[in-house]
Amino acid sequence: MNLRTLRAFVEVVRQGSFSQAAEVVSLTQSTVSKAVKTLEDELGTPLFSRIGHRSELTAAGQIAYRRALVLLAERSDLIAEINELRGLKRGVLRIGLPPVGSGVLFAAMFALYRRRYPEIDIELIEHGSKKLQECLQAGEVDLAALLVPVEGEFEYQDVRVEPLMVVMPVDHPLAGRKQVNFTDLADHPFILFESGFALNRIILSACERKGVVPRVTARSAQIDFIVDLVSAGLGVAFLPRMLAHKHKHAGIALIPLDEPQTDWHIALAWRHQAHLPPAARAWLDLAKEMGNVPAGLPD
């Protein structure tokens, strides 16, 4: 059993297909298939149940996937510690950020970080919260910006807490309210982010607590498009306050959402007891120093 074989197996699980996994690990599909078959032979049990064109993890496959993530993360920690011991002049900041809010929160930080540490290479990936947690667990990134509560064995440092605003057309019947809740919005269509975005979890969980079943008319991964759909009268959307004000224009109204446990609370997370390389520790120190309060936006 070798780590390259485990890496191929993990990507097959993540990507849901052998062909897509092959693209990620830069191998041929047949090589990935052979790697998984070799792993199954070594363990003496099938790892996938092949149903038609679909492959699902067996019980043994689930155990192997969980253990493979740990082994790959340990390899990453080993390399980081050895590099630090060697006193490399160049370091690497490996960080994962979500598509929502990262520009406002972290663009200025990246600029200052680059000025302070010009020899540090930055490896940035962007994914939704679920995929970022998987990347962090596997040691593919040292830090990831995640919404709190953070699921899994992670430690984290707070970055920003923002209330949610309801984004609605300026002529919406509730646009004159000082605040609204999900009972008020029960009969109005929602525009949400695509599945996999942690902000959806906050909204849908709060609706469930209130006994509201939302009618979702559209989903998108792009804030600009969501705001345009709202302006066109397709429904109401929800954004953290700082992002809502950044995208405000004459065609929409912003109303505070009056619901408990719906704050957008973002933090920088890392694996519990993981070795954090100097480049990652420097990023955490800079985040604490800057406080991540965007200029010109209301607190």
Side-chain angles (χ1 to χ4, degrees):
M1 184 184 304
N2 61 60
L3 293 175
R4 182 171 296 182
T5 299
L6 291 177
R7 169 74 169 145
F9 166 64
V10 164
E11 283 305 327
V12 171
V13 178
R14 282 184 177 171
Q15 304 302 324
S17 77
F18 285 80
S19 59
Q20 292 181 18
E23 293 182 11
V24 173
V25 297
S26 300
L27 296 172
T28 64
Q29 182 174 341
S30 62
T31 302
V32 171
S33 297
K34 289 177 182 177
V36 173
K37 181 64 168 59
T38 298
L39 186 58
E40 289 180 324
D41 290 342
E42 289 186 39
L43 296 175
T45 184
L47 301 179
F48 290 99
S49 296
R50 293 167 177 85
I51 306 171
H53 296 292
R54 295 186 299 108
S55 296
E56 297 181 355
L57 283 175
T58 62
Q62 293 174 1
I63 294 172
Y65 178 65
R66 187 173 67 250
R67 292 294 185 179
L69 290 176
V70 174
L71 290 171
L72 291 171
E74 289 293 333
R75 173 189 178 274
S76 178
D77 284 348
L78 170 63
I79 293 174
E81 287 196 53
I82 294 299
N83 285 344
E84 187 174 354
L85 182 64
R86 289 173 177 169
L88 294 181
K89 293 182 180 180
R90 295 179 63 88
V92 179
L93 171 66
R94 303 181 310 153
I95 187 168
L97 299 180
V100 177
S102 292
V104 176
L105 284 175
F106 299 113
M109 277 186 61
F110 274 112
L112 181 54
Y113 189 88
R114 174 62 68 198
R115 289 198 297 272
R116 287 188 181 179
Y117 311 104
E119 299 302 313
I120 298 293
D121 292 329
I122 299 174
E123 295 181 2
L124 170 65
I125 64 169
E126 286 187 289
H127 288 298
S129 184
K130 182 178 179 181
K131 182 64 180 292
L132 281 181
Q133 288 187 40
E134 292 177 354
C135 292
L136 190 58
Q137 187 177 10
E140 295 172 14
V141 293
D142 300 307
L143 297 170
L146 303 175
L147 285 189
V148 177
V150 177
E151 299 176 358
E153 295 184 354
F154 301 120
E155 300 179 44
Y156 64 88
Q157 174 180 303
D158 289 335
V159 174
R160 182 87 182 203
V161 179
E162 286 280 321
L164 290 187
M165 305 291 286
V166 184
V167 186
M168 58 181 63
V170 70
D171 58 354
H172 192 280
L174 301 177
R177 296 277 191 93
K178 291 185 177 180
Q179 57 187 22
V180 293
N181 57 41
F182 283 124
T183 301
D184 301 325
L185 297 169
D187 297 327
H188 301 270
F190 285 14
I191 302 171
L192 299 180
F193 284 94
E194 290 181 352
S195 60
F197 281 66
L199 187 57
N200 288 349
R201 183 186 69 223
I202 295 174
I203 295 165
L204 296 177
S205 294
C207 284
E208 185 177 1
R209 290 193 298 270
K210 210 64 174 288
V212 172
V213 179
R215 177 164 53 96
V216 180
T217 58
R219 294 177 182 268
S220 175
Q222 304 298 322
I223 295 178
D224 286 337
F225 187 48
I226 288 176
V227 172
D228 287 342
L229 291 176
V230 170
S231 182
L234 200 64
V236 300
F238 307 87
L239 289 175
R241 180 179 56 182
M242 65 175 190
L243 296 180
H245 281 278
K246 184 177 186 294
H247 292 271
K248 181 173 171 53
H249 60 73
I252 61 171
L254 304 178
I255 312 299
L257 178 65
D258 181 27
E259 289 287 353
Q261 303 177 48
T262 55
D263 283 344
W264 186 75
H265 181 181
I266 196 163
L268 288 165
W270 60 94
R271 284 179 294 115
H272 179 62
Q273 294 184 337
H275 171 80
L276 279 179
R281 290 198 296 267
W283 180 265
L284 290 173
D285 290 341
L286 182 59
K288 188 177 296 184
E289 173 188 331
M290 293 185 68
N292 274 296
V293 180
L297 293 180
D299 290 328

